Amino acid sequence: MFNKFLREKKTSAAILTIIRLYLGYSWFTAGLHKLTGGFDAAGFLKGVTANPVKGPDGAIVYGWYVEFLNSFALPNVDVFNFIVPWGETLIGLGLLLGCLTTTAMFFGLVMNFSFFMAGTVSHNPTDIFLGFIILTAGYNAGRIGLDRWVVPFIRKAAKTKNVQNKVVA
């Protein structure tokens, strides 16, 4: 019942727009700050790998994630110095404009979980909760936004391509 409300009702589209704009503003300003103020992930990554998240027994909770950071992220820190600020900015822009909303929110959640597993709590739990609401709502979250036109265009283009592929085959 709640899922149907989120995905289909115009009332929920209005509520989702407020949530979407809040998250979009947060992502956009965080990314823009990193783009304009200089950003280097190396210090953060070194700090996370030196002091990973530990459980009550003192054991590392996300050992695989720490290994990923040590073996891939740190050696390729320049890639992350590009991906993080641009990713945050584009996620924010997508949410603010309501354009490819579910895609933007999916990647926002990936980044939120990455920060969370690194031990950065901050507002990540709230962002994750609100992000799942947006993601669950699907198209309705961007209905009051560019998705109103973009999603039908993409669906029509995909359908046309499928029909053309069946005719050729």
Side-chain angles (χ1 to χ4, degrees):
M1 186 167 117
F2 183 67
N3 196 31
K4 185 175 179 165
F5 170 75
L6 276 180
R7 296 180 66 85
E8 297 175 10
K9 301 295 181 183
K10 289 181 182 178
T11 307
S12 66
I15 296 167
L16 291 163
T17 300
I18 294 167
I19 295 170
R20 193 189 80 226
L21 291 173
Y22 163 75
L23 288 173
Y25 179 78
S26 296
W27 279 109
F28 185 76
T29 55
L32 194 60
H33 175 71
K34 287 178 179 76
L35 285 173
T36 59
F39 174 71
D40 186 12
F44 177 75
L45 293 172
K46 287 176 184 173
V48 170
T49 56
N51 188 24
V53 176
K54 295 179 181 160
D57 60 353
I60 296 173
V61 177
Y62 304 112
W64 63 271
Y65 187 67
V66 173
E67 184 59 33
F68 165 76
L69 295 177
N70 271 323
S71 62
F72 184 77
L74 273 170
N76 299 296
V77 73
D78 291 337
V79 173
F80 286 84
N81 286 340
F82 179 82
I83 289 174
V84 171
W86 278 106
E88 288 180 355
T89 304
L90 292 173
I91 288 165
L93 199 58
L95 293 173
L96 285 170
L97 297 174
C99 185
L100 303 174
T101 304
T102 53
T103 303
M105 197 66 260
F106 171 79
F107 286 108
L109 286 169
V110 168
M111 289 184 82
N112 274 132
F113 275 110
S114 295
F115 300 145
F116 202 58
M117 288 187 295
T120 306
V121 177
S122 184
H123 51 85
N124 284 312
T126 305
D127 289 356
I128 290 169
F129 175 72
L130 295 174
F132 271 114
I133 291 172
I134 295 293
L135 196 63
T136 302
Y139 168 76
N140 207 29
R143 177 183 287 189
I144 303 173
L146 293 179
D147 278 349
R148 181 180 197 92
W149 298 279
V150 172
V151 171
F153 175 79
I154 291 171
R155 286 180 180 160
K156 183 178 177 184
K159 188 176 182 179
T160 303
K161 187 173 182 174
N162 283 340
V163 169
Q164 288 173 349
N165 287 341
K166 287 181 182 178
V167 170
V168 172

